[in-house]
Amino acid sequence: MTSSEIFSIITFVYGAAAILYMVAWVFKKPLPGTLATATLAAAALGNLAGILLRWVESHQMGIGRPPLTNLYESLIFFALTIAVIYLFVEFKYKIRILGAIAGPMPFLAMAYASLPKVNTAIQPLIPALKSNWLIAHVMTCFIGYAAFTIAFGISIMFLVKSSGDAPSSGAQPLRMAGRIPAFDILDDLTHQMVTFGFLFLSIGIITGAVWANQAWGRYWGWDPKETWSLVTWLIYATLLHARLMRGWRGKNIAVLSCVGFVAMLFTYFGVNLLPGLHSYQ
Amino acid sequence: MTKSSNTEGFTRKIWKFFASVKLSVAILLSLAATSIIGTVIPQNGSAEVYIHQYGEVFFKLFNTLDFFDMYHSWWFRVLLCLLTINLIVCSIHRLTSTWKIIFPDHPSFDANRFQNAKNRQEWTSTSSPETLKAMYDPYIGKRFSISLTEKTKDGYLIFGEKGRWTRLGVYAVHLSIIFMITGGLIGSIFGFDGSVNIPEGQSTDTIFLQNDPTGKKLDFQIRCEDFDLSFYDSGMPKEYRSSLSIIKNGRTMAQKDIIVNDPLRFEGINIFQSSYGEMPSDRLTVTFTERESGLLYDVEAMIKKPIDMPGNSGKLIIEDFRTNFSYSGFNLGKTFICTMVPTGGEPETLLISVDHPRFDMMRQGDFIITISNIDFKYYTGLQVTKDPGVPAVYAGFLFMIIGCYITFFMFHQAVCIKLSTTGSGAQIELSGISGKNRPGMNAIILRMSNHLKRLSAA
Ligand code: HEM
């Protein structure tokens, strides 16, 4: 079996896990929930195996480079990190309901990776990318992105719950919102995910800067991708500080977390529309 | 009110303004929002391109607002400056009160502070408070940096505390920002960023800075001994490698093969492999083909030296060379840019393509001009930089990572075990408090209570 075949299968397993999580949420039954967790864990293991296999394959082709260097590979790694971080949160906080919103995310990343316009070939590296810093840079950035993605999911739950709890709204369609964990738990979880993501995005930007200094003699060049990662970082720094202001916990933080997520998505995908060194081809 | 108290009030107001987190939220958001401008508007382009793209009016407006070089604009620097002041004032303001918490004159414990802890665990034991104290004391002593036991009227209180210093983590994060901004400032004042192309076998001591065509002289020569280029089977470049020597006062001071990602460093100056290209040799042959007769005239030529065209019809000067010249969207490949001055006529610019020799026929001149017998030599494109701010910036990087780790994942924690005598043994209460009411504290108390139960059961 090739790594690409594994990834196609894994995409469906992620999809199945996502559906099971939603079923568990809607019907509030323990069995689909347990199944969902098992399916997601299996998908994550398969995902990891596929990445390792792709690494081996690149060696067999005589190219020999870590599978983290183009849009396709980054999406696959992204899916894995989201799944692993989510599973960790589920295990630690025993909150399976988050799976209904975090579960579909690895599936979406994998589905995007399988679009025909995404190049799946294992290609050799251009000279500028040949560096050990590449692995450190890409991995830390994507761990940060994954944490922000889960924080976004939690914030969406927060906003759904707060609109569902509003006395004026017809509560019927949002009955399920009542099963969402309490506000302070969601707020705290968002904060935990944001701090985790902030640390890793900081390390990601820093390793990128050290690498750029080694390759091009400048640690910062206001390249669009660099700038957008800084914008993302600044938005999350704002969030951390806004939490210190009176009355800013809760809804405002959830909104900022969503804004940060949009900036992160733009850093990841949108910047390719702008000219610069970083664009994934 | 006297004048002095008036100014005092004013200073205090300024201080309070700069000490506020509200201001920092505003500054951080402004920095995020304005940084986007420079990613949407290409930076440091030429005025013509901007006018073409945005029109005269917007060009003037954007130019006034420094949008074409916004990261070096006065207003962006003002934002960074405000951030720095905000950071310093806020840190001093907070540190003066935090310092006493972190380094108190007399560390003291107050059992009342644990009264309201929600994480309290209670259980009973058949052992007496004395026996339990003897078991728990060393455990707490090992696990916490400060521990203390107090006798109460019906038992003991054991306190443990650690991680006071982690309250300093956030100051490391904030200090790191100051280091980075300072390092950036040092680099922009005392550093430079230039580039130079050196053909194989030649040396130079002059590099060219961005936006400064005059060139900057280094106090040593860079010599390119050799340039090598390798390709993957697909034709993608695999590696550029330049063998460089540094020559100072006639002596070779350093030698290294550089590739992308592995520069040569000499006296604080870094030399990076950044690009490459081909350069024609000085001597070449220009062939004039007379359109009517088909007669060929070969003339030996040198770049920048005027040559006579056949039949005294004018002069031709080879001005410049491009590896890839694009003409109306068509790539002419290797192309010489020449000036032709017909006798008694106006000078005219000609493009003589080496790869497309028939291109000059379209000009419909009396002669069709081609250039041949050219030896091409590789030149290496080097980036030459100096940035004395890097150590400060890197120190900032280190502080940022360590500080964030401490702030996010470590915290100031204190626990209290209350042992009181009951009829047959002891009642045990364990509770903990933490710097920011971390949920992590609850997990710690739970784990500790399990451990303590096992200790006393054994
Ligand atoms: C780019 C700039 C900055 C970064 C990256 C940054 C980073 C941080 C981080 C990571 C925290 C910890 C938050 C938490 O525990 O959740 C924090 C806390 C804090 N920051 Fe900043 N900060 C910046 C600028 C500022 C500025 C300009 C001020 C000025 C008022 C400020 C004031 C504070 C205060 C008062 C705290 C809370 C400290 C505490 O909890 O005791 N920060 N900052």
Side-chain angles (χ1 to χ4, degrees):
Chain A
M1 198 159 26
T2 66
S3 61
S4 313
E5 285 163 357
I6 293 188
F7 293 137
S8 332
I9 297 170
I10 292 303
T11 309
F12 287 102
V13 184
Y14 274 131
I19 292 171
L20 285 168
Y21 272 116
M22 293 200 216
V23 169
W25 182 25
V26 173
F27 297 105
K28 213 181 170 189
K29 289 278 189 310
L31 179 66
T34 316
L35 271 177
T37 306
T39 314
L40 186 65
L45 276 177
N47 194 343
L48 178 66
I51 290 175
L52 295 176
L53 180 60
R54 193 174 165 91
W55 201 337
V56 173
E57 283 167 355
S58 92
H59 273 280
Q60 283 164 350
M61 290 170 69
I63 294 169
R65 55 153 184 74
L68 288 169
T69 56
N70 57 25
L71 178 62
Y72 178 68
E73 293 169 341
S74 74
L75 282 166
I76 285 163
F77 183 71
F78 189 39
L80 175 66
T81 30
I82 298 174
V84 169
I85 295 177
Y86 165 73
L87 282 171
F88 178 76
V89 172
E90 183 187 306
F91 173 76
K92 188 156 176 221
Y93 291 85
K94 313 269 184 278
I95 306 177
R96 190 167 275 143
I97 258 179
L98 287 178
I101 197 149
M105 286 169 178
F107 168 70
L108 289 177
M110 296 296 284
Y112 184 50
S114 33
L115 291 183
K117 67 168 189 149
V118 179
N119 184 357
T120 61
I122 299 183
Q123 279 168 328
L125 290 179
I126 58 167
L129 292 181
K130 275 188 208 149
S131 165
N132 287 332
W133 289 101
L134 170 74
I135 308 176
H137 175 56
V138 176
M139 280 181 80
T140 45
C141 281
F142 277 97
I143 293 172
Y145 287 177
F148 290 145
T149 304
I150 294 175
F152 164 73
I154 303 167
S155 304
I156 290 290
M157 289 213 140
F158 190 105
L159 295 175
V160 168
K161 186 178 168 79
S162 66
S163 65
D165 283 6
S168 59
S169 76
Q172 186 55 26
L174 288 164
R175 201 189 44 195
M176 281 164 334
R179 293 181 205 150
I180 298 175
F183 282 125
D184 53 344
I185 295 180
L186 291 176
D187 184 57
D188 182 63
L189 262 175
T190 305
H191 182 66
Q192 297 254 324
M193 283 296 118
V194 168
T195 53
F196 185 77
F198 190 79
L199 173 67
F200 275 91
L201 182 62
S202 302
I203 301 176
I205 295 175
I206 287 171
T207 48
V210 172
W211 178 20
N213 194 32
Q214 260 178 25
W216 302 303
R218 55 150 189 83
Y219 52 82
W220 193 260
W222 296 107
D223 163 76
K225 190 122 184 168
E226 287 170 358
T227 309
W228 269 96
S229 66
L230 180 71
V231 169
T232 307
W233 187 78
L234 285 169
I235 292 173
Y236 284 107
T238 310
L239 185 157
L240 291 176
H241 289 88
R243 249 178 138 257
L244 304 168
M245 300 194 324
R246 200 168 305 140
W248 262 69
R249 296 215 169 188
K251 197 163 171 184
N252 291 334
I253 297 298
V255 169
L256 264 179
S257 155
C258 296
V259 174
F261 178 73
V262 171
M264 183 216 98
L265 279 187
F266 196 81
T267 311
Y268 190 178
F269 303 111
V271 169
N272 296 355
L273 309 172
L274 308 166
L277 285 164
H278 276 90
S279 25
Y280 284 121
Q281 295 301 316
Chain B
M1 211 190 268
T2 65
K3 195 158 186 279
S4 84
S5 78
N6 222 338
T7 52
E8 215 169 87
F10 183 67
T11 331
R12 178 124 34 97
K13 259 196 200 133
I14 295 262
W15 182 265
K16 264 185 86 173
F17 174 74
F18 278 113
S20 90
V21 181
K22 246 192 208 138
L23 178 66
S24 65
V25 166
I27 296 173
L28 290 171
L29 265 188
S30 313
L31 279 171
T34 54
S35 293
I36 295 172
I37 297 171
T39 67
V40 181
I41 299 176
Q43 298 290 290
N44 296 307
S46 68
E48 299 92 70
V49 176
Y50 287 137
I51 292 173
H52 180 73
Q53 179 130 21
Y54 302 109
E56 196 73 53
V57 178
F58 279 103
F59 170 74
K60 283 217 177 94
L61 179 68
F62 289 176
N63 201 28
T64 318
L65 294 172
D66 273 337
F67 279 3
F68 301 128
D69 189 17
M70 65 146 284
Y71 303 112
H72 304 104
S73 68
W74 63 269
W75 55 265
F76 198 71
R77 290 193 164 140
V78 165
L79 274 179
L80 286 177
C81 206
L82 282 176
L83 179 78
T84 313
I85 300 172
N86 185 200
L87 211 44
I88 294 174
V89 173
C90 187
S91 294
I92 294 175
H93 188 77
R94 294 260 172 153
L95 203 49
T96 42
S97 56
T98 315
W99 198 259
K100 285 204 193 79
I101 301 177
I102 303 174
F103 304 108
D105 298 332
H106 308 284
S108 64
F109 295 95
D110 180 1
N112 294 327
R113 286 181 55 220
F114 295 86
Q115 276 311 313
N116 298 325
K118 287 203 192 93
N119 51 31
R120 184 190 332 277
Q121 295 283 323
E122 299 182 8
W123 67 98
T124 54
S125 165
T126 47
S127 317
S128 71
E130 278 76 21
T131 333
L132 290 174
K133 168 181 166 290
M135 275 188 287
Y136 292 173
D137 250 353
Y139 174 74
I140 296 295
K142 210 165 67 199
R143 228 172 161 273
F144 292 86
S145 57
I146 308 172
S147 64
L148 194 81
T149 309
E150 264 175 28
K151 177 115 189 63
T152 57
K153 56 182 188 306
D154 66 341
Y156 294 95
L157 283 171
I158 308 175
F159 296 103
E161 186 186 347
K162 72 175 176 189
R164 277 177 187 263
W165 63 275
T166 60
R167 287 177 185 258
L168 288 174
V170 73
Y171 298 97
V173 178
H174 291 150
L175 192 66
S176 78
I177 307 282
I178 308 239
F179 268 80
M180 291 179 210
I181 291 179
T182 311
L185 203 62
I186 293 174
S188 71
I189 296 172
F190 300 106
F192 58 78
D193 183 355
S195 58
V196 64
N197 295 336
I198 312 177
E200 282 179 303
Q202 292 187 21
S203 40
T204 185
D205 62 355
T206 307
I207 62 164
F208 299 91
L209 306 182
Q210 277 175 357
N211 310 328
D212 180 8
T214 53
K216 175 182 173 67
K217 238 173 134 60
L218 305 172
D219 60 359
F220 54 81
Q221 298 259 339
I222 308 169
R223 185 176 167 79
C224 173
E225 310 284 358
D226 190 24
F227 177 78
D228 270 324
L229 180 64
S230 53
F231 294 93
Y232 291 110
D233 294 339
S234 65
M236 260 170 69
K238 182 177 185 182
E239 187 178 88
Y240 322 138
R241 176 184 293 269
S242 307
S243 304
L244 300 185
S245 302
I246 302 294
I247 298 156
K248 193 171 178 180
N249 304 325
R251 295 219 339 256
T252 303
M253 309 294 287
Q255 233 169 355
K256 181 168 178 179
D257 283 7
I258 65 166
I259 54 176
V260 179
N261 277 318
D262 186 16
L264 168 67
R265 300 181 199 275
F266 181 71
E267 291 186 345
I269 292 175
N270 311 303
I271 304 171
F272 294 86
Q273 180 72 59
S274 74
S275 63
Y276 72 96
E278 280 181 287
M279 241 179 210
S281 52
D282 267 358
R283 293 180 179 284
L284 28 83
T285 305
V286 181
T287 306
F288 297 91
T289 310
E290 194 168 25
R291 188 181 285 276
E292 283 184 2
S293 61
L295 283 177
L296 301 179
Y297 302 87
D298 280 350
V299 183
E300 294 301 308
M302 281 176 77
I303 289 174
K304 301 246 175 194
K305 286 251 171 74
I307 53 171
D308 290 322
M309 292 174 51
N312 234 340
S313 59
K315 285 192 186 305
L316 182 80
I317 308 159
I318 303 175
E319 304 276 4
D320 204 357
F321 174 79
R322 297 287 156 76
T323 315
N324 281 302
F325 194 94
S326 166
Y327 179 80
S328 303
F330 177 72
N331 187 359
L332 288 177
K334 295 193 178 79
T335 303
F336 287 94
I337 299 160
C338 309
T339 308
M340 184 177 73
V341 193
T343 315
E346 289 293 308
E348 192 185 332
T349 301
L350 306 188
L351 299 173
I352 310 293
S353 164
V354 182
D355 297 337
H356 299 273
R358 296 161 61 86
F359 178 72
D360 194 50
M361 284 172 80
M362 299 195 318
R363 183 170 51 91
Q364 303 292 346
D366 294 340
F367 293 98
I368 300 157
I369 304 172
T370 51
I371 299 180
S372 57
N373 273 344
I374 321 149
D375 277 331
F376 283 103
K377 255 197 301 193
Y378 278 115
Y379 68 83
T380 179
L382 303 177
Q383 180 145 14
V384 183
T385 69
K386 178 175 160 175
D387 190 346
V390 165
V393 174
Y394 278 23
F397 287 171
L398 212 61
F399 284 149
M400 167 68 70
I401 295 174
I402 296 172
C404 273
Y405 181 81
I406 294 171
T407 311
F408 296 150
F409 299 113
M410 296 170 87
F411 50 92
H412 182 187
Q413 48 185 283
V415 296
C416 172
I417 304 176
K418 188 173 173 193
L419 303 171
S420 31
T421 315
T422 57
S424 59
Q427 154 94 6
I428 304 144
E429 285 171 42
L430 169 69
S431 37
I433 49 181
S434 66
K436 287 182 192 164
N437 272 328
R438 301 292 176 104
M441 196 66 219
N442 304 349
I444 289 173
I445 289 298
L446 205 62
R447 245 179 296 141
M448 265 184 78
S449 69
N450 289 334
H451 191 92
L452 292 177
K453 279 176 205 166
R454 256 181 285 130
L455 263 185
S456 45

